[in-house]
Amino acid sequence: MDLALALGITELEIRTAWGANAVMLGDDRLRRLRGMAEERGLRVAALASPLWKWCRPQARPGPVDSFGFPTRVARSERLGWVERAVQAALALGAPVVRVFSHLRVEPDLTEHLVGDPLLAKALEVADAAGVRLLLENEPVCTVAHADELLEVLGRYHATGLGLWLDVANLHEVGQATPQVVGSLAPYVEYVHVKDYRPAADGGRVFCTAGTGCVPYRQLLPLLRAVRPALPYALETHIRDAPADALTAGAAFLRATLPGGLA
């Protein structure tokens, strides 16, 4: 929070605090977290929840970064987590909550978002609370490519589902192009910005935004032209000197986005 203040950033995305996933924090800690932000003149812009980054208990998910939240969740428990995430968003004053689209696991156990009755119920719960659910494109989940995103959003956008666009994740699946971003732009309500370089073992090495392989200089001005009021959130995946990376990332965004970064 103090770094955000020093960088002239006025809004926060909350994912974890005190070593725990935010949706697993008690109400007292959520109120304390909001109070700490408000004392600094900061607003919580979004709750980066882990909803739908899960599979059935009998499935075997691969490595998943779930930030302290279980990846195997029984169907009987899921509505409770949805309600808890919405309550956490209200406690924090966050207007939007991130969701995913089920983990890709064994073919016979993989679940799908289209037609999931929990999604329809969750959209009702969120709407009643005045909160919006935004779907992030995530390569380890079932909705990662443009055609999958457009199918889900085409069906559920009218009932309150928007897009939490992660440009680097789109690049990872080979679709970070002007054409794809243009097709998704009408649904985008929030943008994640992180960057990486390909590793020798086929993985990724996260780096400061603007120094990796994600084509932000081409795509961000295009996105800003179509959707001028979008929030852009710097992700904190860099473990070595994260404050330096965020400082440089904020400078990159201000230089790259037409009109600068608020």
Side-chain angles (χ1 to χ4, degrees), residues 204-228:
R204 297 175 296 168
V205 177
F206 290 109
C207 57
T208 301
T211 66
C213 61
V214 183
Y216 286 115
R217 290 178 178 83
Q218 178 186 28
L219 298 178
L220 293 187
L222 182 156
L223 196 54
R224 170 61 71 89
V226 178
R227 302 295 304 278

Side-chain angles (χ1 to χ4, degrees), residues 11 28 139 155 174:
E11 298 187 337
D28 56 340
R155 177 160 175 175

Side-chain angles (χ1 to χ4, degrees), residues 6 10 12 22 57 74 87 89 94 96 98 102 118 126-127 129 132 146 155 182 187 199 238 253 256 258 261:
T10 58
L12 301 171
Q87 291 166 1
V96 301
R98 176 181 65 178
H102 296 292
L118 180 61
D127 182 64
R132 284 186 66 78
R155 177 160 175 175
Y187 302 102
I238 297 174
L253 284 179
T256 304
L261 182 67

